[in-house]
Amino acid sequence: MCAVGTPGNTAEVTGIGGKRHSRADTVVLVIAHKGFWTYVLGAIWDPEGGLFVVHFSPHILYPFFLFFTLSEIIRQLIKIRHGYSRQGHHLQRYYYLYYVSAVAYEANKPLVIEDVEVAPPQAGEVRVQILFTALCHTDAYTWSGKDPEGLFPCILGHEAAGIVESVGEGVTEVKPGDHVIPCYQAECKECKFCKSGKTNLCGKIRGATGVGVMMNDRKSRFSVKGTPIYHFMGTSTFSQYTVVHDVSVAKIDPQAPLEKVCLLGCGVPTGLGAVWNTAKVEAGSNVAIFGLGTVGLAVSGRGCKSSWCCTNNRIDIDTRKFDRAKEFGVTEFVNPKDHEKPIQQVLVDMTDGGVDYSFECIGNVSIMRAALECCHKGWGTSVIVGVAASGQEIATRPFQLVTGRVWKGTAFGGFKSRTQVPQLVDKYMKKVNQTPTPNPK
Ligand SMILES: NC(=O)C1=CN([C@@H]2O[C@H](COP(=O)(O)OP(=O)(O)OC[C@H]3O[C@@H](n4cnc5c(N)ncnc54)[C@H](OP(=O)(O)O)[C@@H]3O)[C@@H](O)[C@H]2O)C=CC1
Ligand SMILES: N[C@@H](CCC(=O)N[C@@H](CSC=O)C(=O)NCC(=O)O)C(=O)O
C-alpha cells in the first residue's frame, strides 16, 4: 500500500476528473501527487446508471515524469479492470501495482489477505495477472513449516493460469495479453540440465527461486508497507498479480478455459508424466497408486491409458475417495486400515508376486517403502512423487534393489514445462473439441 493512500495520511489532491470513455462510461478519478509519485487514490464509474466503486484503492502509482493524461490513466484502469487491451501497453511496465494477495506471515498461521505492492518486471521478468489458482499439497506442506526451503513471509501458490500484464526488457517469448501458465519448474533451454536431454530440471534460476527472490537483483518484487515478502517456487500465484522469470512461464492457447487448464500447472502433469515419462508404464501393466489426491488421480486409469487395461490398485485411507477414483476408470481399491498385514504384503499376495509399477503420491516415507516393497521382484519400479518433510529419510533393505526393484523420483512428471505444458493444453482442447455436445433434448 502506498504511503499516501494509507488511512490517516494526508495528501494534496491535485485532480478529480470525470471523463466519458468508450469502454467504460463515466469515470471519476481522485489523483494525488506526492514528491516523485502520482497516485490514483480511487476511481468511480457508472457502468449501468448506478455509481460503482472500483476496487483500486490505492492501487496504482507511477512516476510523475511520465505525465499521463487523464484519458491515458483511465485507459490503464480499464485495462486492469477488464483485462488487457492492446493500446498503450508499453507504459505498463513502469507501474507499481497494488493488489490483493494471501500472505503467509508464519508457518501454520492463517494466510492474511493484504494489499501487496507488486513491483514492475525487470529485465527477463514477466508480470502476470493471475485469474485462477488451485491448491496443491505442496503449498500446504511449505505453509506447515516442514519444507526446509520454506521462507516467511511469503506468497504461496504455484498451480495457476493468467494473462501477461507487462514484460521487462529482453522478454521476447511472451507479450502483454498472452494467456499463460506459470511454471514452477523452469525451462531455459540453455543450461546444462536443459541441454542434457536427460531431465526436465532447469538450473538457470533455481538458486534464486529456492530462496524466494528474483535472479536479477536477488530481491523480491512483493512488499507490504516496505517489508519484502518472499516469492515461492518462482510463481507465488496466491496473488492477483505476480512477477515470474521469463523461463518460468508457458504461453498457451488463448481459447483454453483458464479455470480448467490452471491444473496443468502442477498436479495433473505430475501424475500423467510420472506414468508416461518417468515410469514409462507399458500396456497391460499392474499398477499400485498410493494416495488419491489430484496427483494420485492423475496417475489413474487415464494416466495409464485406460485402453491398455492396466490393473490399478488404488490405495487411500479415506474410502470416500474411491467413488471419485471410479470415475477415472479404476475398479480395485484397497484401504490399508482394512488389513492387519503390512500393505506391501497385501498387494504382493493380491498380484501374484507384486505390481509392475507403483507410485507414492502422499509424501510419507513409510508409504514410500511400502510402495517399493509391493513391486515385483526382478522388474518392479516404484516412483516417488510425494514430497516428504524436512529430516525425513527413506529406507529399505538393499536386497529389495539387489533383486531387481527400481526406485525412482519425479518432479513435474518429467515434463519440460515451457515446451510441453502448451502441448498438454492443446491435447486437452482437442479432446474437448472432439467431445460431442450433449443433445439438448
Ligand atoms: N514431485 C512433484 O513434482 C510433485 C509432488 N507433489 C507432492 O505429491 C503429493 C500429493 O499431492 P496432492 O495430490 O496435491 O495431495 P493430496 O493431499 O490432494 O492427496 C494426498 C492423498 O493421500 C491420502 N493419504 C494420506 N495419508 C495416507 C496414507 N497413509 N495411506 C494412504 N493414503 C493416504 C490423503 O488422504 P487424506 O486427505 O484423507 O489425508 C489424500 O487423499 C504431496 O506430497 C505433494 O507435495 C505434488 C505435486 C508435484
Ligand atoms: N522444497 C522441498 C522440495 C519440494 C519439491 O520436491 N518440489 C517438487 C515439486 S512439488 C510441486 O508441487 C520439485 O519439483 N522439486 C524439484 C525442485 O527443483 O524443487 C525440499 O527442499 O524438500
Side-chain angles (χ1 to χ4, degrees), residues 270-271 274 295 299 359-363 368 383-387 408-410 413:
T270 298
V295 175
V299 184
F359 297 86
E360 201 280 355
C361 307
I362 298 166
M368 290 174 190
V383 180
I384 293 178
V385 189
V387 170
K408 287 186 163 186
T410 194

Side-chain angles (χ1 to χ4, degrees), residues 256-278:
L258 297 179
E259 75 278 15
K260 298 245 168 44
V261 298
C262 65
L263 296 179
L264 295 175
C266 181
V268 173
T270 298
L272 294 178
V275 175
W276 294 343
N277 305 325
T278 310

Side-chain angles (χ1 to χ4, degrees), residues 136 138 141 147-149 158 184-185 201 206 233 266 387 411:
C136 169
T138 308
Y141 157 79
D147 179 356
E149 286 188 308
H158 64 282
Y184 71 83
Q185 190 55 252
L201 301 177
R206 186 64 180 82
M233 289 175 82
C266 181
V387 170

Side-chain angles (χ1 to χ4, degrees), residues 390-436:
S390 175
Q392 299 276 296
E393 294 182 346
I394 47 172
T396 190
R397 283 192 65 215
F399 186 66
Q400 293 284 333
L401 305 183
V402 166
T403 49
R405 293 169 195 84
V406 177
W407 224 343
K408 287 186 163 186
T410 194
F412 196 52
F415 283 115
K416 284 187 173 280
S417 61
R418 285 199 300 142
T419 305
Q420 291 186 286
V421 166
Q423 293 168 3
L424 288 172
V425 170
D426 292 345
K427 204 175 167 75
Y428 168 75
M429 291 302 285
K430 201 169 158 199
K431 188 142 193 168
V432 168
N433 291 332
Q434 281 171 352
T435 307

Side-chain angles (χ1 to χ4, degrees), residues 156-394:
L156 297 165
H158 64 282
E159 191 173 275
I163 297 179
V164 173
E165 176 268 340
S166 57
V167 300
E169 273 177 41
V171 174
T172 54
E173 294 198 27
V174 291
K175 60 180 186 318
D178 283 347
H179 288 210
V180 291
I181 291 182
C183 303
Y184 71 83
Q185 190 55 252
E187 184 192 356
C188 75
K189 306 181 185 179
E190 289 164 357
C191 73
K192 182 164 84 169
F193 291 92
C194 286
K195 281 184 171 164
S196 74
K198 295 180 178 177
T199 178
N200 66 331
L201 301 177
C202 170
K204 182 165 181 186
I205 56 160
R206 186 64 180 82
T209 56
V211 291
V213 295
M214 299 302 285
M215 204 174 65
N216 257 326
D217 55 0
R218 312 292 294 180
K219 287 188 179 152
S220 171
R221 302 286 169 265
F222 301 114
S223 59
V224 173
K225 297 181 188 126
T227 303
I229 308 292
Y230 287 112
H231 293 244
F232 170 66
M233 289 175 82
T235 51
S236 287
T237 61
F238 291 173
S239 180
Q240 288 181 305
Y241 281 81
T242 189
V243 178
V244 300
H245 298 94
D246 58 354
V247 293
S248 302
V249 70
K251 180 176 164 178
I252 59 161
D253 177 356
Q255 303 299 321
L258 297 179
E259 75 278 15
K260 298 245 168 44
V261 298
C262 65
L263 296 179
L264 295 175
C266 181
V268 173
T270 298
L272 294 178
V275 175
W276 294 343
N277 305 325
T278 310
K280 299 186 170 64
V281 174
E282 309 91 358
S285 301
N286 201 342
V287 177
I289 302 159
F290 294 77
L292 289 179
T294 304
V295 175
L297 284 173
V299 184
S300 68
R302 287 179 201 184
C304 296
K305 296 190 178 161
S306 43
S307 56
W308 292 359
C309 301
C310 294
T311 311
N312 286 323
N313 297 283
R314 312 300 304 276
I315 297 140
D316 204 287
I317 47 176
D318 183 351
T319 47
R320 289 172 302 180
K321 296 191 185 126
F322 294 173
D323 288 339
R324 168 80 57 82
K326 278 179 197 158
E327 293 167 19
F328 284 70
V330 180
T331 51
E332 295 171 52
F333 299 93
V334 185
N335 186 339
K337 290 181 174 170
D338 295 339
H339 299 269
E340 283 180 8
K341 282 192 279 187
I343 189 68
Q344 49 267 57
Q345 192 56 52
V346 173
L347 287 163
V348 166
D349 294 346
M350 281 173 70
T351 58
D352 187 25
V355 298
D356 301 312
Y357 295 95
S358 72
F359 297 86
E360 201 280 355
C361 307
I362 298 166
N364 177 318
V365 291
S366 313
I367 309 275
M368 290 174 190
R369 178 176 194 152
L372 177 78
E373 295 179 358
C374 75
C375 285
H376 203 287
K377 181 176 173 177
W379 61 77
T381 295
S382 184
V383 180
I384 293 178
V385 189
V387 170
S390 175
Q392 299 276 296
E393 294 182 346
I394 47 172

